Amino acid sequence: YFRKHTKVFLAVAAVLAIFILVVGDAITRGSYSDSGAASATQTVATWNGGKLNVAQLQSLMMQRKITDDFLKGVFVTGGGQTGYDFPTCVPPLLLNEQQLQQLETEVIGLEVMADLAEQAGMTVSDTLINHYIQEMGLRKVTGEQVTQILSNIGQQNRQANEAIVFNTLRKMLLQFFYRRTYGDASLVVLPQQRWDDWRKVNEGISVEAAGRRR
């Protein structure tokens, strides 16, 4: 099992290592120190292709909470009450209690995974994001209701919240697809490869059946 999911384990381990060795110490010594202005630019996480400082991390944590509040608002407005009402056709991207308590780790992991997904050539369109929002609202939430939800979360700035939600949701979906790709090898098998495998199996069965009839 470990060999099959080696890449996923290594990615998770890298994120945890970043948080344990860098983020925790930087936040405790920098974010809450008296020299707040100077610590805001202190780097708390780096990876191949990107980095975050204290101010950026705090901003991303705020954006992740706003997006979570929006999704929960859409779900409730559409009539959702419990997990049993959650749509099965979209991934569950809501924050749970454990993730909220470790939001720094969640946010850093999101940035790393989304960056890796983009480097791998993955993209998420606005159409897909709108589809996800519609499904989260159980296909019952109108455009006016979405606008109202955006106007009542965060700093209650609809346009700013809309940009935050779309940007964060794009990264969240990229993270989901990237993890799913490495978690299930069958998802990266090309159609031609599947066709070749099907032919090998079925042609072998046909040959065996023909030999028995003789």
Side-chain angles (χ1 to χ4, degrees):
Y1 182 84
F2 179 79
R3 288 195 300 269
K4 180 180 178 182
H5 300 85
T6 299
K7 293 184 178 179
V8 176
F9 288 142
L10 290 177
V12 173
V15 173
L16 291 176
I18 291 172
F19 175 71
I20 294 172
L21 297 178
V22 183
V23 178
D25 181 63
I27 290 179
T28 54
R29 288 188 297 103
S31 180
Y32 301 105
S33 66
D34 294 334
S35 56
S39 65
T41 59
Q42 182 177 359
T43 300
V44 295
T46 61
W47 64 93
N48 185 18
K51 63 180 180 179
L52 291 175
N53 59 35
V54 173
Q56 290 170 330
L57 178 59
Q58 292 177 340
S59 176
L60 289 171
M61 290 170 60
M62 177 269 295
Q63 294 176 29
R64 184 66 180 88
K65 288 181 179 178
I66 287 176
T67 303
D68 191 63
D69 289 341
F70 170 76
L71 293 178
K72 289 175 179 175
V74 170
F75 179 65
V76 171
T77 302
Q81 297 180 358
T82 67
Y84 293 105
D85 300 323
F86 196 89
T88 58
C89 56
V90 294
L93 301 179
L94 300 178
L95 291 171
N96 56 40
E97 289 299 325
Q98 183 179 1
Q99 290 172 320
L100 283 170
Q101 294 174 3
Q102 301 175 351
L103 193 56
E104 296 93 344
T105 304
E106 290 295 323
V107 167
I108 293 174
L110 175 61
E111 293 299 307
V112 173
M113 290 290 185
D115 189 48
L116 289 173
E118 290 181 344
Q119 292 180 32
M122 294 183 176
T123 58
V124 170
S125 66
D126 289 348
T127 301
L128 181 58
I129 295 174
N130 281 316
H131 173 73
Y132 185 87
I133 294 172
Q134 290 173 0
E135 294 297 333
M136 280 297 300
L138 306 177
R139 300 185 180 182
K140 298 178 181 178
V141 180
T142 65
E144 290 76 10
Q145 289 174 314
V146 169
T147 299
Q148 186 64 32
I149 295 170
L150 289 170
S151 301
N152 292 331
I153 58 177
Q155 299 296 321
Q156 299 184 347
N157 185 321
R158 182 190 61 81
Q159 292 183 337
N161 287 335
E162 181 178 358
I164 288 172
V165 167
F166 264 71
N167 183 54
T168 306
L169 262 180
R170 197 183 311 278
K171 290 186 288 188
M172 290 163 63
L173 290 169
L174 281 171
Q175 180 188 46
F176 170 78
F177 291 130
Y178 187 77
R179 281 178 170 171
R180 189 181 178 195
T181 298
Y182 281 104
D184 187 350
S186 66
L187 296 174
V188 295
V189 177
L190 298 176
Q192 182 62 42
Q193 293 174 301
R194 294 183 181 181
W195 169 244
D196 291 340
D197 291 340
W198 184 89
R199 288 183 57 191
K200 289 178 183 178
V201 173
N202 287 272
E203 287 177 359
I205 294 174
S206 298
V207 170
E208 183 179 352
R212 288 180 179 178
R213 285 198 297 270
R214 293 178 184 176

